Amino acid sequence: MIELVDVSKVFDDGKNKVQAVSKVSLKVNKSEIYGIIGFSGAGKSTLLRCINLLERPTSGKVLFKGEDLTTLTEKELRKRRKKIGMIFQNFNLFNSRNVYDNIAYPLKGAKLSKEEEIKKIRALLDLVGLRDKEHAYPSQLSGGQKQRVAIARALANDPEVLLCDEATSALDPKTTKSILSLLKDLREKLGLTIILITHEMEVIKEICDRVAIMEDGRIIEEGSVIKIFSKPEKETTNRFIEGSSNADKVEELLDANNNILKIKEGEVLTRVHYLGQVTREAIISEASRKFNINASILTGNIEVINKTLIGKLLVLFSGRPENIEKGINYFKERGIKVEVIKDERNFTKLDSKCS
Amino acid sequence: MKEILQSLIPNVLNIKEELILGIYQTLTMVTVSGTLSLVVGILLGVVLVVTRKNGILENTRLYAIIEKIINTFRSIPFVILIALLIPVTRAIVGTAIGTKGAIVPLIFGTVPFLSRQIENALVEVDKGIIEAAKSMGSSPLEIIFRVYLREGLPGIIRGITITFISLIGLTAIAGSVGGGGLGDLAIRYGYQRFQTDVTIVTVIILLILVSIVQAVGNFLIKKISH
């Protein structure tokens, strides 16, 4: 549906050159929800605007259904833009127009009769759940309602793609959830392709199929959301994931030699990662019985992404050193990643006792 | 009643006809030069906004030229501008004196001020809204008429109100140098013949005019703001 080929954007004001986007290539399939995440200044906003050419790329191709938008005349480009909707962080509604007229704005030139227009706009209002607000002005609406109007307006010309520019960043968590589920709904009902940028991993987790992590104008990592969450490769990716869970806050406690996490002699602190299907088995209690060791879960975080579980637990083992070893191996055999953080076992001491 | 007026404003009553003519001339100058200034001023204001840096029809050279001209005219005192424009006025309306002759300098004095007011009003329109209109496939012309002039309307009316008030002030100056109107009366009778009651009456009439303009402006802004 949308394909970017080596897209670069340089801002040049005559004095300074700023490379906002450098050589980004990506492909978004039909009816896919594709997320681009990055810290502020990563270039994600500019990249999104390169898709509908609100920012013209300095080099590279922007393909929409196979057609390179950068080669079109302004007039042809404006026609294509009607098929690529866009919503914004600040909603950007026309304050001088009521809800109905806001949605009617892009319909000018669509050659609809008055009755068709009314029908169309009412259908859009139903779709976003704001039928009763037809005559309200933006100043009378809440943030979530404004974004719903913006979505209805963006969908007025039946676009195939919807670009979301930090669409939920100005909303509270509850409203964010409702807007995200509306977007999900639209994908189901209309087969809409959605490209969104955000700095919140929660948003990616909630609705995206695939995600790209952006840093310094480049895409540094890309893949399915499950893959990115379970096996992140880059440091920045990790930081985004850590920011959205608390499993790693423990490490801060450990570093500070906090009393809560004082590890006694003979104990092993591990981080256990698991994914999806294996989680139905009671592996921890099984290992505990089998090898006569104690496993206590200090903290943990379990994410549900696209109906798959991704777990990250901090487990403290205690017991005979060789049994702990066996226990850890038992985990590993079942495809569970075990990372030893702190090992306070003392084999030699115990060995000497035995002899 | 008549006696009271006779004792309060004796000189005014002696020039009743002239006073009515003066009001008529002032109103003519304000409405004619005001209307023409509106057309030119709004046009220039829009051109300034769209051609400025990062505008929807960015053309920094054109912007710089218009800006220079506006700044030049704004820095010339109005009395001097009237004298300076005499050949231009003659060429356009055939005479440089009387109410007719005052209209040309009044336009030259008002347009630069008004275009700045319009420019400021339109710059206030949220950039994000312009971007949204672009993303919906609007052409620059559509953005000007359906977004800028509509979203910026409260600011535009505010600017027009201020402009008309300052225009009323300018007509008084124009009057004093041969344009007729209330300013002319105040100078000829009030200043030169020490008939203070004439001065006071003209001031009161001008005050009423200004108040009406301000009230209409406020009413319109209130009506269109949501």
Side-chain angles (χ1 to χ4, degrees):
Chain A
M1 183 60 75
I2 293 278
E3 190 177 353
L4 301 182
V5 186
D6 283 338
V7 166
S8 295
K9 174 73 187 180
V10 181
F11 289 108
D12 188 355
D13 65 354
K15 279 173 254 160
N16 302 305
K17 275 189 186 178
V18 180
Q19 178 104 30
V21 175
S22 45
K23 291 211 168 266
V24 167
S25 295
L26 59 85
K27 205 171 166 180
V28 181
N29 303 317
K30 189 172 163 38
S31 300
E32 190 171 35
I33 302 183
Y34 191 93
I36 300 168
I37 189 167
F39 293 107
S40 43
K44 53 193 193 303
S45 200
T46 308
L47 180 66
L48 191 76
R49 279 162 177 71
C50 282
I51 297 174
N52 60 359
L53 262 65
L54 283 180
E55 294 288 358
R56 198 167 266 279
T58 316
S59 63
K61 280 189 215 168
V62 179
L63 304 173
F64 171 50
K65 293 165 77 181
E67 180 183 47
D68 187 357
L69 295 181
T70 62
T71 61
L72 297 178
T73 63
E74 281 294 318
K75 206 175 162 198
E76 285 173 310
L77 176 62
R78 289 202 288 270
K79 236 191 221 156
R80 301 304 182 279
R81 278 185 184 151
K82 289 184 192 288
K83 292 292 167 197
I84 305 175
M86 189 168 186
I87 57 172
F88 305 86
Q89 179 173 2
N90 300 318
F91 324 121
N92 295 341
L93 297 176
F94 301 117
N95 297 315
S96 63
R97 295 168 195 263
N98 64 19
V99 168
Y100 182 96
D101 290 335
N102 261 283
I103 304 172
Y105 177 92
L107 287 172
K108 194 169 184 177
K111 295 190 181 77
L112 294 176
S113 70
K114 195 76 207 161
E115 292 77 47
E116 284 173 312
E117 190 191 277
I118 293 171
K119 224 176 116 192
K120 172 107 213 177
I121 289 170
R122 298 236 162 110
L124 284 163
L125 283 171
D126 281 336
L127 193 64
V128 298
L130 275 183
R131 181 61 194 276
D132 54 327
K133 296 286 181 202
E134 199 178 310
H135 302 294
Y137 280 89
S139 60
Q140 300 161 326
L141 301 176
S142 70
Q145 290 171 327
K146 283 183 196 170
Q147 197 59 286
R148 281 167 190 271
V149 176
I151 290 170
R153 185 178 69 174
L155 296 177
N157 279 308
D158 305 309
E160 294 173 64
V161 178
L162 183 66
L163 306 177
C164 307
D165 178 17
E166 300 268 6
T168 58
S169 300
L171 304 174
D172 63 63
K174 204 175 145 212
T175 316
T176 295
K177 276 227 153 115
S178 79
I179 293 292
L180 292 179
S181 72
L182 172 63
L183 290 176
K184 237 194 238 173
D185 250 27
L186 293 174
R187 185 255 295 266
E188 302 301 324
K189 281 186 196 155
L190 312 171
L192 201 63
T193 306
I194 298 174
I195 303 177
L196 61 87
I197 61 170
T198 181
H199 60 268
E200 296 167 313
M201 209 55 176
E202 298 297 327
V203 172
I204 302 283
K205 230 158 58 181
E206 194 76 22
I207 63 167
C208 290
D209 303 313
R210 280 196 300 145
V211 57
I213 291 91
M214 232 181 140
E215 192 175 45
D216 296 331
R218 281 167 225 279
I219 287 182
I220 55 166
E221 196 168 348
E222 197 220 23
S224 76
V225 174
I226 295 172
K227 190 222 135 201
I228 294 291
F229 263 87
S230 55
K231 296 192 185 77
E233 279 163 17
K234 293 286 191 324
E235 180 51 34
T236 307
T237 315
N238 242 324
R239 267 159 63 203
F240 273 115
I241 296 168
E242 285 168 17
S244 75
S245 73
N246 59 5
D248 298 86
K249 297 214 175 85
V250 177
E251 241 152 286
E252 290 164 28
L253 293 178
L254 270 176
D255 286 342
N257 264 328
N258 201 293
N259 275 334
I260 312 164
L261 278 180
K262 212 53 173 202
I263 293 162
K264 288 182 232 127
E265 203 173 299
E267 291 180 331
V268 181
L269 182 67
T270 60
R271 195 189 283 121
V272 175
H273 303 259
Y274 61 86
L275 223 183
Q277 56 289 356
V278 286
T279 49
R280 287 276 307 153
E281 301 164 36
I283 296 175
I284 293 179
S285 52
E286 244 168 62
S288 169
R289 272 199 301 273
K290 233 178 175 150
F291 306 107
N292 194 23
I293 51 175
N294 287 321
S296 71
I297 299 171
L298 297 179
T299 171
N301 191 63
I302 299 167
E303 309 272 10
V304 188
I305 294 162
N306 290 347
K307 291 170 191 135
T308 304
L309 291 173
I310 297 176
K312 219 185 216 184
L313 304 176
L314 213 67
V315 183
L316 186 69
F317 289 104
S318 54
R320 290 183 63 84
E322 61 274 21
N323 286 352
I324 293 177
E325 201 60 40
K326 279 180 199 157
I328 290 173
N329 284 333
Y330 181 78
F331 276 39
K332 285 180 177 167
E333 280 159 26
R334 271 147 194 83
I336 294 170
K337 210 169 122 195
V338 183
E339 203 183 318
V340 176
I341 301 171
K342 234 175 191 177
D343 193 343
E344 292 295 331
R345 285 177 294 180
N346 195 331
F347 287 97
T348 48
K349 209 161 136 194
L350 285 159
D351 282 348
S352 61
K353 249 189 204 162
C354 288
S355 58
Chain B
M1 181 68 180
K2 199 157 186 193
E3 277 138 44
I4 303 172
L5 285 178
Q6 192 72 53
S7 65
L8 275 177
I9 47 168
N11 302 310
V12 176
L13 294 178
N14 291 336
I15 55 161
K16 243 184 353 207
E17 269 94 67
E18 258 187 283
L19 184 69
I20 290 166
L21 180 68
I23 295 172
Y24 172 75
Q25 287 173 330
T26 295
L27 288 178
T28 310
M29 284 190 277
V30 171
T31 47
V32 175
S33 57
T35 312
L36 291 171
S37 300
L38 271 191
V39 177
V40 185
I42 291 176
L43 184 76
L44 279 180
V46 168
V47 172
L48 281 173
V49 167
V50 298
T51 57
R52 63 163 38 212
K53 203 166 159 35
N54 298 322
I56 52 171
L57 292 169
E58 184 179 319
N59 186 336
T60 44
R61 189 172 296 171
L62 181 61
Y63 180 85
I65 293 170
I66 297 176
E67 199 180 34
K68 278 260 154 57
I69 296 171
I70 286 176
N71 287 344
T72 309
F73 275 97
R74 280 193 72 178
S75 56
I76 303 172
F78 187 62
V79 183
I80 299 171
L81 188 68
I82 296 174
L84 204 63
L85 285 173
I86 287 174
V88 183
T89 311
R90 274 214 188 100
I92 297 174
V93 294
T95 174
I97 50 166
T99 308
K100 212 171 160 189
I103 285 172
V104 175
L106 280 175
I107 292 173
F108 275 85
T110 306
V111 163
F113 182 71
L114 179 59
S115 359
R116 278 289 188 220
Q117 296 287 335
I118 301 292
E119 184 192 11
N120 288 339
L122 299 185
V123 164
E124 289 295 307
V125 175
D126 191 346
K127 286 251 175 332
I129 293 179
I130 305 299
E131 198 177 35
K134 269 197 210 169
S135 79
M136 288 184 273
S138 290
S139 66
L141 218 57
E142 250 186 292
I143 292 177
I144 290 171
F145 286 104
R146 299 185 64 205
V147 185
Y148 268 129
L149 291 181
R150 192 156 166 173
E151 290 292 310
L153 201 53
I156 292 173
I157 293 177
R158 207 166 293 130
I160 292 174
T161 309
I162 298 170
T163 306
F164 266 79
I165 290 169
S166 85
L167 177 59
I168 292 171
L170 292 187
T171 61
I173 303 176
S176 69
V177 293
L182 293 169
D184 178 41
L185 287 185
I187 293 285
R188 278 197 290 125
Y189 294 95
Y191 180 70
Q192 288 168 355
R193 297 182 201 171
F194 300 106
Q195 295 176 353
T196 316
D197 59 328
V198 176
T199 313
I200 291 171
V201 169
T202 53
V203 167
I204 291 172
I205 295 172
L206 288 173
L207 265 177
I208 293 171
L209 276 182
V210 169
S211 309
I212 291 172
V213 170
Q214 188 69 60
V216 170
N218 289 348
F219 170 75
L220 288 175
I221 291 168
K222 211 172 163 191
K223 202 170 166 204
I224 56 160
S225 297
H226 300 288

